[in-house]
Every structure is written in structure tokens, then in C-alpha cells.
């Protein structure tokens, strides 16, 4: 039986990018703007619902802390079953009151797993820009005897040669996480966001899918940080037994 879900990420509600187009620095800067990207989120969710998809996973970076209630109010106005991953713009304490339906396998971290060794779903919390030792120890236990894994976290684990990574946005200490994943005998499909771009790559037993953002995109092949504000995106994931097919949906300007 085919299982279809939508993976959307990097909403950045209430965060207005200060500089657009070709950027003059190597960092992203935001100003507070309560309505920023709210329409983009609704547009993406409307499109998901119109396709008859009822299962969604959010990949992190809700946005400004003050926008967290708005994000969940919008999301809960749709008839979706949902899971939430935290990103580096998310504060666990601010978001956790809205995650009562998700277990926390590690105290203070929005990480959990479901499924069985034949196909396990696992969610990591990289909101501190790293996966800490407690989560790594828990992950090592979860990987034992697992044959296939769907792994969801905000940050890419495999390196992507792009200005945003060179600017210092990469997950800290990711080589430790990568070594743990590669050292397992598990076939891993990894879904992430954070870089605001589409990318797919494979290394050893890891197949990584980086998904472009709800808010704005970052140009992957550029000499310096450059943004694209013309598209809103998400990814459709279809799982049929051991087969995984994905499609990125690109929505133009409102």
C-alpha cells in the first residue's frame, strides 16, 4: 500500500529577510514583521490539501517565537496528521506546548521514533545547531537491528557545496552523526531543509533529500549568498514498500 505525505520546511513566519537578491554579507539577517510569510504558508498548505494529502511533516524553522501560536493555529485549521521537526530558529520551550501528541525520547529534545526494524521513522532535534550526545546515544540504540530508516532533521548531514554552507550554516559536529549513520547496516533516506534549496545526493548507505523552503529560496550555485523570493516549495514523498519516490512542488508568486 502506497503512503503519501508532504514534507514542508522553513516557514520563517514573522521574519522578514533584511537583504534580498545578491547579499552583501555571508549571514542571513531578519527583521520582525508579524505577517511575513503567513500567506506563503497557507498557499503551500492549501496546495497540499487540494492534492488529497492528509499527512504532513514540517522540517523546522517555524520563525519568530511570537509566531509559534500563529503557525499551529494555521496548521490545525487543516485536516492533517502532522509531525514537527525543530530547526535552528525554533526554541524547544516555546514549541513544546504544541507538541503534546509527540513523544520526547530524550528530555528537552523533540526527538522520537515510530515503526519497526523493517521501516523505522526517526525524528531528530537539531535546534541547537547540533545533535547532542544524549540524542546520539539514543540514535545508536534505535539503529540496532533497523534495516530501513526514514530520518527527518532540519540540517543536512551530507555536505552540499553552496555559499550558505561555506558561510557557516552547516550542522556542528555533523561528522560524528554521519559516522554513526554510515557505520550502521541500515538503508537511510534522510529528509532535511535549512539550506532553502533543492538537492539530492547519496553517500554510502545515506540518500539525502534537501527540500526548498516555504518562505524563500537560496541559490545553490552562486559566488555568494543570493536569494530567490519568487517561489514557495514543498516535497511530496511516496512510500511503497521499500521504494521511495519524491517530487518537489514549486509554486510561483502569489
Amino acid at each position: 500500500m502506497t503512503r503519501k505525505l508532504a514534507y514542508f520546511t522553513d516557514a520563517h513566519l514573522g521574519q522578514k529577510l533584511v537583504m534580498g537578491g545578491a547579499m552583501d554579507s555571508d549571514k542571513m539577517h531578519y527583521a520582525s514583521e508579524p505577517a511575513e510569510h503567513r500567506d506563503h504558508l497557507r498557499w503551500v498548505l492549501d496546495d497540499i490539501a487540494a492534492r488529497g494529502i492528509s499527512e504532513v511533516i514540517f522540517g523546522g524553522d517555524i520563525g519568530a517565537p511570537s509566531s509559534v501560536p500563529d503557525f499551529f493555529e494555521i496548521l490545525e485549521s487543516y485536516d492533517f496528521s502532522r509531525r514537527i521537526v525543530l530547526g535552528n530558529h525554533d526554541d524547544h520551550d516555546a514549541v513544546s506546548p504544541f507538541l503534546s501528541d509527540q513523544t520526547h525520547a530524550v528530555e528537552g529534545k523533540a526527538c522520537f521514533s515510530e515503526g519497526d526494524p523493517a521501516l523505522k521513522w526517526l525524528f531528530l532535534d537539531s535546534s541547537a545547531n547540533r545533535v547532542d550526545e544524549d540524542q546520539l546515544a539514543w540514535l545508536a540504540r534505535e539503529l540496532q537491528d533497523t534495516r530501513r530508516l526514514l530520518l527527518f532533521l532540519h540540517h543536512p548531514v551530507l555536505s552540499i557545496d553552496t555559499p550558505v554552507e561555506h558561510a557557516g550554516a552547516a550542522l556542528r559536529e555533523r561528522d560524528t552523526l554521519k559516522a554513526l549513520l554510515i557505520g550502521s547496516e541500515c538503508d537511510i533516506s534522510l529528509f532535511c531543509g535549512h539550506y532553502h534549496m533543492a538537492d539530492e545526493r547519496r553517500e554510502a548507505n545515506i540518500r539525502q533529500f534537501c527540500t526548498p523552503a516555504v518562505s524563500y529560496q537560496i541559490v545553490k550555485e552562486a559566488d555568494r549568498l543570493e536569494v530567490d523570493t519568487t517561489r514557495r516549495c514543498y516535497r511530496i514523498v511516496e512510500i511503497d514498500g521499500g521504494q521511495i519516490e519524491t517530487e518537489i512542488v514549486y509554486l510561483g508568486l502569489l
Side-chain angles (χ1 to χ4, degrees):
M1 180 178 177
T2 300
R3 185 173 180 177
K4 182 182 289 189
L5 62 94
Y7 179 88
F8 67 107
T9 186
D10 293 280
H12 289 280
L13 296 190
Q15 293 180 317
K16 182 178 179 62
L17 191 64
V18 174
M19 303 161 67
M23 301 189 68
D24 296 328
S25 75
D26 62 355
K27 302 293 182 183
M28 313 301 287
H29 299 281
Y30 297 98
S32 177
E33 182 61 55
E36 191 74 2
H37 304 308
R38 187 178 300 175
D39 289 344
H40 303 152
L41 176 61
R42 286 195 177 277
W43 191 16
V44 166
L45 296 179
D46 283 348
D47 195 78
I48 293 170
R51 294 171 186 263
I53 298 172
S54 60
E55 184 174 7
V56 300
I57 295 174
F58 177 67
D61 278 3
I62 291 170
S66 59
S67 295
V68 170
D70 290 343
F71 173 83
F72 283 97
E73 181 179 358
I74 291 170
L75 183 56
E76 290 167 6
S77 69
Y78 296 83
D79 189 21
F80 294 140
S81 64
R82 47 88 164 172
R83 299 168 186 80
I84 306 296
V85 172
L86 299 189
N88 55 293
H89 282 269
D90 299 319
D91 177 79
H92 178 271
D93 290 343
V95 180
S96 60
F98 299 92
L99 303 181
S100 59
D101 56 340
Q102 292 185 186
T103 59
H104 285 53
V106 174
E107 185 176 357
K109 299 294 179 182
C111 62
F112 61 100
S113 69
E114 56 189 56
D116 56 44
L119 180 61
K120 182 174 289 186
W121 296 48
L122 192 144
F123 302 78
L124 288 174
D125 183 339
S126 61
S127 57
N129 283 304
R130 63 189 291 265
V131 176
D132 65 1
E133 291 79 4
D134 290 341
Q135 285 190 87
L136 289 173
W138 169 72
L139 173 62
R141 294 190 296 271
E142 290 286 326
L143 286 171
Q144 294 177 6
D145 300 323
T146 298
R147 297 187 293 278
R148 294 182 61 85
L149 179 70
L150 298 181
L151 177 59
F152 300 91
L153 77 162
H154 183 64
H155 294 72
V157 174
L158 303 182
S159 177
I160 303 174
D161 183 13
T162 185
V164 67
E165 177 161 301
H166 305 323
L171 180 69
R172 296 200 300 268
E173 303 164 27
R174 68 180 177 189
D175 286 346
T176 302
L177 172 59
K178 177 180 168 182
L180 177 59
L181 296 174
I182 291 178
S184 72
E185 297 181 358
C186 186
D187 182 3
I188 300 170
S189 297
L190 188 158
F191 294 89
C192 60
H194 185 52
Y195 282 5
H196 293 236
M197 64 184 62
D199 183 80
E200 181 179 337
R201 61 190 58 237
R202 181 187 291 273
E203 184 174 341
N205 57 325
I206 303 172
R207 186 182 179 192
Q208 175 176 280
F209 301 91
C210 187
T211 299
V214 169
S215 51
Y216 62 90
Q217 315 313 320
I218 299 176
V219 179
K220 182 164 68 172
E221 298 177 356
D223 294 331
R224 59 178 179 174
L225 282 172
E226 183 177 342
V227 301
D228 171 9
T229 60
T230 65
R231 295 183 295 176
R232 320 296 159 202
C233 307
Y234 69 95
R235 185 185 294 271
I236 296 173
V237 182
E238 292 192 33
I239 305 160
D240 186 1
Q243 299 298 314
I244 298 174
E245 301 292 337
T246 81
E247 172 194 356
I248 296 176
V249 178
Y250 293 93
L251 304 175
L253 288 170
L254 280 170

